[in-house]
Amino acid sequence: MTIQTGDAIPEVTLKRIREGVETVDTPSLFQGHNAVLFAVPGAFTPTCSERHLPGFIEHFDEFRKRGVDVYCVSVNDPFVMQAWGQSQHVPEGLQMLADGNADFTRALGLEMDASGYGMGVRSKRYALYAEDGVVKQLWVESPGEFKVSSAEHVLENLPG
């Protein structure tokens, strides 16, 4: 079942690289925070690299001024997410999270089968806004689209 507005973010672990590979659990990321999480089908893929991540980089300071943390997640390993972040000049504070086994993606019910592209199970493209670990807004893209999960759309629709 797909996560809905009003649902708590499921408790799952993700990976990130800071001073080496770290495991981070979702309560640490979301509880006590206002956060936007956006998901991409794959690091280094065209729309993700040309439009989705760059929009959040461009508007990162606007999110931070509103007291909102920003997280990017993909069904990739942490080394790929680190390399992608470096290649895109991701600002410090925008966390690049790896969901290598798609555990988080499946827990949200937002997985898709990209086997036809040789990519296996991946995440749908989406963005969500959560306050203290509870989803307040959710924007899931239709297949092949990039509209509602853009940084601009999310900023326009944040409360306050």
Side-chain angles (χ1 to χ4, degrees):
M1 189 166 133
T2 303
I3 195 160
Q4 301 292 317
T5 301
D7 291 348
I9 300 285
E11 190 168 334
V12 180
T13 59
L14 297 162
K15 301 285 186 186
R16 67 182 175 203
I17 296 181
R18 287 188 173 168
E19 302 296 319
V21 178
E22 298 176 354
T23 299
V24 61
D25 59 65
T26 50
S28 297
L29 290 168
F30 290 98
Q31 289 177 356
H33 300 267
N34 293 340
V36 166
L37 170 82
F38 68 100
V40 298
F44 292 104
T45 58
T47 301
C48 306
S49 291
E50 294 165 13
R51 297 174 64 201
H52 207 174
L53 179 56
F56 281 92
I57 293 168
E58 179 182 343
H59 296 288
F60 180 71
D61 288 339
E62 293 170 62
F63 285 103
R64 297 302 300 147
K65 285 176 189 166
R66 293 176 78 168
V68 176
D69 294 334
V70 181
Y71 310 136
C72 175
V73 67
S74 184
V75 180
N76 288 112
D77 67 66
F79 302 101
V80 168
M81 292 301 285
Q82 179 188 43
W84 189 40
Q86 289 171 342
S87 75
Q88 293 283 320
H89 308 288
V90 167
E92 188 166 333
L94 195 163
Q95 293 192 47
M96 302 296 285
L97 303 170
D99 185 23
N101 296 324
D103 295 335
F104 181 64
T105 299
R106 285 188 181 101
L108 294 175
L110 290 169
E111 72 275 9
M112 68 174 189
D113 182 358
S115 300
Y117 301 101
M119 296 168 64
V121 173
R122 293 295 175 127
S123 176
K124 292 180 180 178
R125 185 182 307 281
Y126 68 88
L128 64 79
Y129 171 68
E131 293 177 354
D132 195 27
V134 176
V135 177
K136 297 297 184 181
Q137 294 179 306
L138 175 65
W139 304 276
V140 181
E141 297 286 0
S142 298
E145 297 214 337
F146 175 64
K147 297 176 184 173
V148 297
S149 66
S150 72
E152 296 80 5
H153 185 266
V154 171
L155 269 171
E156 289 171 12
N157 289 281
L158 283 179

